[in-house]
Amino acid sequence: MASLREDASYYTERYRPQYHFSTPVGNLADPNGLVFYKGEYHLFHQKNGTWAHAVSKDLLHWEHLPIALERDHLGQALSGSVVVDEKDTSGLFGGKPGLVAIYTNTEGGEAQSIAYSKDDGRTWERYVGNPVIPNTGMKDFRDPKVFWHEETAKWVMVVSTNQTVSFYHSDNLIDWAFASQFGAEEGLHAAVWECPDLFRLPVDGDEDNQKWVLHVSVGDNDETNGSTAQYFVGEFDGTAFTNDNDAAEVLITDIGQDFYAAQTFANLDGRTVWLGWMANWRYPYQSPTDPWMGAMSIPRELGLYTNSNGQVRLRQKPISELDTIYAKQQDFAPFDVANEATPLDFKGTTYRFTAEVSWEDLREFGLRLRHGNGVESLLGFDGEYQKVFLDRTNAGLETIIDRNGQPFPFGQRYEADYDAKRGFMKLDVLVDESSIEWFINDGELTFTSLIYTDPTNAGIEWYADGGSIHVQHAQAIHLHNVWRARVTEGQLERIVTNEETVRLEIGETRELIADLKPDYNVGEEVIEWGSSDEDIVTIIDETERGVMIAAVGQGSAEVVAREQKNRLEKRIRVYSTGEGEQ
C-alpha cells in the first residue's frame, strides 16, 4: 500500500472519488460487518457475493485487505454484520474475545451462517454447523444485523424477510430463537426490504431520553423511481419493535436516493456512525466508471432531534474526522444575492462548502455546483412550492442504461418539503469527483446524489429569483485526497481535461479545456498545447481555459497539454474521419 500511495496516478481515473471509499477494481455494493476493534475500523462490503475488506484508523484513509469471505459450498456470502464476542459467548475463542461475522448464504435458499476470526479480522473460519438459521421456505431471508442487547443479556438479530423484518435472539450466536416480526402494515412497501439495522439514539442529545431507530432499505421499484431507504422511530424491548408513528407514515432516510444499505459501526462508544452504498438498484453497476463500480458515502454521525411539530426525526452529520483532511480554507465576507448570478472566486472538484442563508420574500434561490461549460448541479430552495431540491438534470449525464438494459433518466430533480416561513437555512455540502452530499440544518435533511460531469467543471455560483438572499459564514474548503501521499505546498500532481478521446469529421472543431490538480495549489502556471500531427488535427485558437482544435485531415493524432514546471503532461487522442465514417 505504501508504494501505491507514492504513485501520483493512483486513484486518479476519471470520476474516481478522492476522499470517499471505493474499491480498486470491480463491483462494490452493500457495506457489511462494520465494526471498530482494537483501534481499527473494519469495512467489509459486497463484491459479487463475497466480502471484500478494508481497515482504517480514522474512517477516511483505508487500506485494502484480501477478500475476507469467499463463496463456499453453501453459496454466496451475502450481506451481514460483525460483532465483538467479548466474553466468548460462542465458545469459539477459548475464553478470549474475537470477531464473529453473521451473513447470508444462498445454496438451497437464503439462510444465516457465521464465521469467526481469532486474528483481528485478518483471516476467517466458517462455523462447521452452518447455517445457524436454516431457510424454512422464504424467498427473501437475508442481511442479518446482530447486536448485544444489554437489558435482556442476549444477542439480537434483525433480518430482512421480504417486506418485513424478523427478530431472533440467542445466548451464544449459534442457537437462535424466533422472537417477533415487524412491518407488515408499516411504512413503504414498494419493494423488498433489505439490509436492516436497529440502534438506539438519544433525543436532542438527552441520554436519559432515548429511542430506537429501525432502518431498512427498499429495493428497486417504480413508485420511488429506483431504490430508496426508510426508517422508523420507536421502542424495542429485546423481543419486539413498536413504531411510535402512524403505520402509514413514511420517513425517507435520504432524499437524493443514491444512498442504500446503510449500516452502523458496531463496538463504538460515545457515538453512532454509519455509511451507505452510494448507488441505486436501478443502475447499480451501470455507471461510466472504470475499472471500478461503486463507492461509499462519507461516514455520518447520527442523532435524533425534535422538529417544530414535536416529531422525533433522524439527523445525519459528516464525521468530525473530516477536518483532518482540510487542505485550504477560503472564507467569504457576508453578501447579498438578488437578480443576477453571483459566482464565487473559488474553483474545485473535491471540497466542503458551508454557508447560512436567510431571506424574507423569495421565489427561489440556489447554488450551481460543478459549474462550467454549460452544465451544473443545482441545489436550492423553491419558495413557490416550498421545496428544497437537488437537481442534476443538467449535470452532465442525462441518461443511463439501467440494470434491465433500458434507458433511464439519470438527470432528475429530487425534492423535499421545506417551510418557507423559516426564512433560514444552513448548508453543508460535500463535493467529490462524482458525488454531492448535502446536509441541511445540521443534517435534518440529506441529499446524496451521484454526478458524472467533466473534471474541468469546477465553479460555484449563487442565484436568487423573485427576491434576495443574505449569505453569511460561507466557507469553501479544499480537501486532500486520502489515497495518495499529500503534495507539498505549491506542488501540482496532474492535468485533467474535459475530453479523454475526441472523434471529429474533417472540418469540425472542438474546445479542449485543461485544469491543474490539486486545485488548492494552482498558481500562475501555464499550460502549453501542441499537436502530434498538424496535418490531421491543428490548434486554431486559444480560449479562456484551453484551445480550439480542428480536424483537417484523415487519421489519428494526439493533442498534448503540458505544464513545464512540474513536468506534467496529458495526451488526448483525436480521431479525424471523412464525413459519415465515424
Side-chain angles (χ1 to χ4, degrees), residues 88-357:
D88 191 23
T89 62
S90 63
L92 297 170
F93 303 106
K96 299 178 181 179
L99 297 176
V100 178
I102 309 94
Y103 64 95
T104 299
N105 59 260
T106 58
E107 187 66 28
E110 294 176 345
Q112 315 318 315
S113 289
I114 66 173
Y116 55 98
S117 173
K118 298 179 179 180
D119 58 0
D120 304 337
R122 266 46 183 187
T123 61
W124 295 81
E125 184 175 345
R126 254 65 176 229
Y127 176 62
V128 294
N130 281 338
V132 294
I133 308 181
N135 189 291
T136 57
M138 290 180 284
K139 176 178 178 291
D140 297 301
F141 179 45
R142 58 180 175 270
D143 310 337
K145 180 60 182 279
V146 174
F147 64 95
W148 178 256
H149 187 254
E150 195 67 40
E151 290 83 351
T152 57
K154 290 184 181 295
W155 295 103
V156 170
M157 175 190 295
V158 54
V159 61
S160 175
T161 45
N162 193 10
Q163 292 188 29
T164 64
V165 296
S166 294
F167 297 96
Y168 292 77
H169 52 72
S170 172
D171 294 321
N172 58 13
L173 294 167
I174 296 170
D175 302 301
W176 293 89
F178 175 80
S180 68
Q181 191 174 83
F182 171 83
E185 304 294 334
E186 312 262 355
L188 178 66
H189 285 271
V192 64
W193 290 9
E194 295 189 302
C195 302
D197 200 349
L198 181 64
F199 46 90
R200 186 159 39 188
L201 294 172
V203 179
D204 301 318
D206 184 359
E207 295 292 339
D208 294 327
N209 179 23
Q210 299 197 8
K211 292 288 184 180
W212 287 85
V213 177
L214 173 63
H215 185 258
V216 295
S217 292
V218 182
D220 184 19
N221 67 88
D222 291 333
E223 182 177 340
T224 62
N225 209 16
S227 56
T228 187
Q230 65 177 334
Y231 68 95
F232 305 89
V233 179
E235 303 295 336
F236 181 70
D237 62 3
T239 298
F241 178 84
T242 304
N243 186 7
D244 280 354
N245 297 301
D246 187 273
E249 186 168 17
V250 176
L251 304 178
I252 296 298
T253 310
D254 190 292
I255 314 303
Q257 283 194 238
D258 288 325
F259 185 79
Y260 197 80
Q263 294 286 293
T264 56
F265 279 87
N267 204 40
L268 269 186
D269 290 330
R271 63 174 179 167
T272 302
V273 174
W274 74 2
L275 54 76
W277 177 28
M278 206 154 48
N280 190 299
W281 265 114
R282 183 62 61 93
Y283 43 84
Y285 309 124
Q286 282 70 40
S287 294
T289 59
D290 184 64
W292 83 102
M293 286 283 180
M296 296 299 181
S297 74
I298 205 70
R300 305 170 180 181
E301 186 166 345
L302 304 180
L304 291 172
Y305 73 98
T306 306
N307 66 17
S308 59
N309 295 321
Q311 301 162 318
V312 177
R313 296 290 185 260
L314 184 67
R315 184 192 299 276
Q316 306 177 62
K317 299 172 66 174
I319 54 170
S320 59
E321 286 90 339
L322 203 60
D323 62 12
T324 65
I325 61 169
Y326 285 5
K328 186 176 182 180
Q329 179 173 310
Q330 187 170 342
D331 298 319
F332 299 89
F335 59 93
D336 295 324
V337 181
N339 295 322
E340 293 186 1
T342 304
L344 294 184
D345 183 21
F346 177 86
K347 185 174 72 172
T349 57
T350 56
Y351 60 89
R352 183 179 197 171
F353 183 82
T354 60
E356 295 180 2
V357 180

Side-chain angles (χ1 to χ4, degrees), residues 25-71:
V25 296
N27 294 336
L28 172 152
D30 309 349
N32 296 157
L34 306 183
V35 65
F36 181 72
Y37 187 58
K38 293 185 177 180
E40 285 185 323
Y41 296 92
H42 292 259
L43 190 166
F44 304 87
H45 68 82
Q46 277 298 293
K47 193 167 193 173
N48 305 323
T50 69
W51 278 33
H53 188 195
V55 292
S56 173
K57 297 290 187 181
D58 62 1
L59 288 168
L60 294 170
H61 298 83
W62 295 94
E63 177 187 355
H64 298 292
L65 297 179
I67 295 291
L69 296 178
E70 298 277 7
R71 301 186 185 204

Side-chain angles (χ1 to χ4, degrees), residues 453-506:
T453 189
D454 294 340
T456 51
N457 295 333
I460 302 180
E461 185 175 273
W462 287 94
Y463 72 92
D465 293 327
S468 65
I469 59 173
H470 180 67
V471 182
Q472 61 182 353
H473 305 306
Q475 293 182 334
I477 307 165
H478 291 287
L479 300 179
H480 288 293
N481 88 85
V482 298
W483 300 105
R484 300 176 303 283
R486 292 183 181 180
V487 296
T488 58
E489 184 175 353
Q491 179 185 357
L492 296 171
E493 192 177 54
R494 65 193 190 280
I495 298 174
V496 297
T497 54
N498 64 321
E499 304 278 6
E500 298 289 325
T501 303
V502 178
R503 297 183 182 274
L504 299 174
E505 292 183 359
I506 294 173

Side-chain angles (χ1 to χ4, degrees), residues 439-459:
F439 303 85
I440 299 173
N441 295 339
D442 296 315
E444 292 180 4
L445 291 172
T446 63
F447 289 77
T448 302
S449 187
L450 295 170
I451 57 168
Y452 298 105
T453 189
D454 294 340
T456 51
N457 295 333

